[in-house]
Amino acid sequence: MNALTSYSRYQTLWLVILRILIGWHFLYEGLTKILNSSWTAYPYLMDSQGFLSGFFQNIASNPALLAASNVVNIYGLTLVGLGLIVGCFSRYAAIGGIIFLAFYYLSHPAFIGAQSMMPTEGSYLWIDKNIIEIGALMVLIYFPTSHIIGLDRLFIKNKKKSA
């Protein structure tokens, strides 16, 4: 390990736990959509609020874009989750997770006056669970652990051997 990636045992432990917890969240969201053959993003997109609501509602109204959105959500969430849990391409998985969460936030922003028909866990002002999880994924990008505990470690070892 170099100086930029040498963490204490507890730092490594909690960063790996954070990676796995967020990975589980994404994986579970993807798997529930895979297992529910009637799942569609349509109601979520149509309930969009804020300045980009027209964009999201246009996706829902176009059958081809809606179908693509469904596939990207189902399999993208699953792949992001798996990547984070097993530590495989975890930096790319974290970036993918940030992109998903940014779209979810922009679709249903935590702004004053935004009224959503979708159930929420509480009342938010600007900062909601999506923004918090984006922050946690940023931590994982800048403090990577998959090269210590994860499949990325195998890729790094093989890369060093072939060099």
Side-chain angles (χ1 to χ4, degrees):
M1 280 187 278
N2 63 37
L4 293 176
T5 57
S6 58
Y7 311 129
S8 74
R9 175 179 289 167
Y10 291 112
Q11 288 172 322
T12 302
L13 172 70
W14 286 106
L15 286 168
V16 170
I17 288 171
L18 179 65
R19 191 185 81 213
I20 291 170
L21 291 173
I22 295 173
W24 173 252
H25 177 228
F26 277 91
L27 178 62
Y28 181 77
E29 288 293 328
L31 290 177
T32 59
K33 290 165 180 52
I34 288 172
L35 296 174
N36 179 358
S37 61
S38 64
W39 180 85
T40 179
Y42 181 84
Y44 187 81
L45 293 168
M46 289 305 291
D47 189 41
S48 178
Q49 303 291 317
F51 65 95
L52 290 177
S53 62
F55 169 75
F56 293 108
Q57 291 165 0
N58 283 337
I59 292 172
S61 299
N62 181 314
L65 290 176
L66 178 61
S69 174
N70 290 340
V71 168
V72 167
N73 265 282
I74 290 169
Y75 296 105
L77 291 170
T78 303
L79 290 173
V80 165
L82 285 172
L84 290 170
I85 289 171
V86 301
C88 184
F89 303 113
S90 61
R91 182 165 285 180
Y92 296 112
I95 292 168
I98 288 169
I99 292 168
F100 275 111
L101 293 167
F103 275 111
Y104 299 153
Y105 183 82
L106 291 172
S107 175
H108 289 78
F111 296 159
I112 295 173
Q115 297 293 324
S116 178
M117 293 187 306
M118 306 298 283
T120 60
E121 295 92 30
S123 300
Y124 303 105
L125 179 59
W126 302 307
I127 306 299
D128 67 2
K129 63 183 179 181
N130 292 318
I131 297 297
I132 294 167
E133 200 164 22
I134 286 171
L137 285 168
M138 291 299 295
V139 167
L140 294 177
I141 288 172
Y142 288 101
F143 296 92
T145 58
S146 61
H147 62 282
I148 301 168
I149 299 173
L151 293 180
D152 286 341
R153 180 179 182 177
L154 300 175
F155 299 137
I156 290 171
K157 282 184 179 180
N158 290 336
K159 192 176 186 179
K160 286 180 182 177
K161 285 181 184 178
S162 63

